[in-house]
Amino acid sequence: MDNVNQAGFWQQRYEKDSIGWDMGQVSPPLKAYIDQLPEAAKDQAILVPGAGNAYEVGYLHEKGFTNVTLVDFAPAPIEGFAERYPDFPAEHLICADFFDLSPEEYQFDWILEQTFFCAINPARRDEYVEKMAALLKPQGKLIGLLFDKEFGREEPPFGGSKEEYQQRFEGCFDIDIMEMSHNSYSARQGSELFVKMRAK
Ligand SMILES: C[S@@+](CC[C@H](N)C(=O)[O-])C[C@H]1O[C@@H](n2cnc3c(N)ncnc32)[C@H](O)[C@@H]1O
């Protein structure tokens, strides 16, 4: 299970085009969330960690969001994104381990979660929660989708439940929304929670 902590594990998946998680489009609940944001949100600092092919980042960019940062430790999807979006600021494409991001250097208004939590080793979930909270400004928001389902495998995606997430996140976050998503991508309907929480 430790191999999922290594960039090479994921880079290989991209090189072999073995990317079953990739929807090839913006996740519909996240698109709906982005679409209802006001103009005033367009200069907010946004992070998309474990972004992969980063359809959400591309969509935010197309909609005129000017301060979006993508992080992934596999170079292949970042290179692909840079080719698809040559006008996206290169300094906002960060090829690094999310867990190495320094809160002294980076502070965000909100962070978008999309099949990143389920990709990390479950032993690192508390570390994930603490790092997310540290990278957010006070009251900054973690928005996204978490599987409400167990996959029962020793490889990603690693599942979970609403009860587990409530317990894990409540120390660092006020949970505003954690409910079954009603507009998920077809293959994920009934299996993912839409979450919106604020860093304490
Ligand atoms: C399951 S994929 C999801 C990609 C994308 N969010 C999507 O929904 O298509 C997980 C992604 O997280 C990246 N990743 C996993 N652990 C990471 C870490 N510690 N730091 C940065 N990226 C990581 C992988 O390289 C991979 O691109």
Side-chain angles (χ1 to χ4, degrees):
M1 220 185 264
D2 275 352
N3 54 359
V4 302
N5 294 327
Q6 311 297 326
F9 171 86
W10 295 97
Q11 173 72 7
Q12 237 186 32
R13 302 283 301 260
Y14 286 103
E15 285 170 359
K16 291 183 181 159
D17 202 23
S18 175
I19 53 172
W21 62 80
D22 190 303
M23 291 183 285
Q25 63 173 73
V26 183
S27 175
L30 300 184
K31 179 176 182 299
Y33 179 77
I34 292 165
D35 285 346
Q36 54 80 51
L37 289 169
E39 274 300 304
K42 291 200 168 166
D43 62 352
Q44 289 182 338
I46 304 165
L47 172 67
V48 184
N53 281 322
Y55 305 103
E56 289 74 24
V57 179
Y59 188 62
L60 286 162
H61 181 61
E62 285 164 11
K63 297 251 321 179
F65 286 78
T66 56
N67 193 358
V68 186
T69 299
L70 175 169
V71 171
D72 203 294
F73 62 8
I78 298 189
E79 288 161 10
F81 182 89
E83 275 173 29
R84 294 200 316 277
Y85 292 94
D87 60 337
F88 190 88
E91 66 275 18
H92 284 198
L93 296 178
I94 301 178
C95 191
D97 191 322
F98 163 77
F99 292 102
D100 290 339
L101 289 185
S102 157
E104 282 73 44
E105 194 176 349
Y106 297 107
Q107 285 286 292
F108 299 96
D109 293 294
W110 49 284
I111 302 181
L112 214 50
E113 162 58 51
Q114 164 66 29
T115 48
F116 174 49
F117 180 86
C118 68
I120 63 166
N121 185 327
R124 303 189 84 182
R125 287 187 170 180
D126 288 340
E127 204 184 331
Y128 166 106
V129 172
E130 284 160 25
K131 180 60 88 173
M132 284 287 183
L135 290 169
L136 283 165
K137 298 175 185 175
Q139 299 295 305
K141 293 188 278 290
L142 176 58
I143 314 283
L145 297 156
L146 297 172
F147 281 116
D148 188 19
K149 171 181 182 173
E150 291 296 348
F151 295 90
R153 297 190 312 194
E154 291 291 301
E155 58 176 4
F158 302 109
S161 67
K162 184 172 181 175
E163 292 67 35
E164 179 204 335
Y165 305 144
Q166 281 169 332
Q167 280 176 18
R168 275 196 199 277
F169 283 93
E170 69 186 5
C172 296
F173 287 88
D174 290 314
I175 300 173
D176 294 330
I177 303 175
M178 185 177 281
E179 58 195 38
M180 189 57 69
S181 164
H182 62 87
N183 52 355
S184 292
Y185 180 63
S186 52
R188 297 188 186 167
Q189 272 171 21
S191 67
E192 59 183 9
L193 301 163
F194 180 81
V195 301
K196 183 176 173 208
M197 16 188 160
R198 276 171 297 119
K200 286 184 179 172

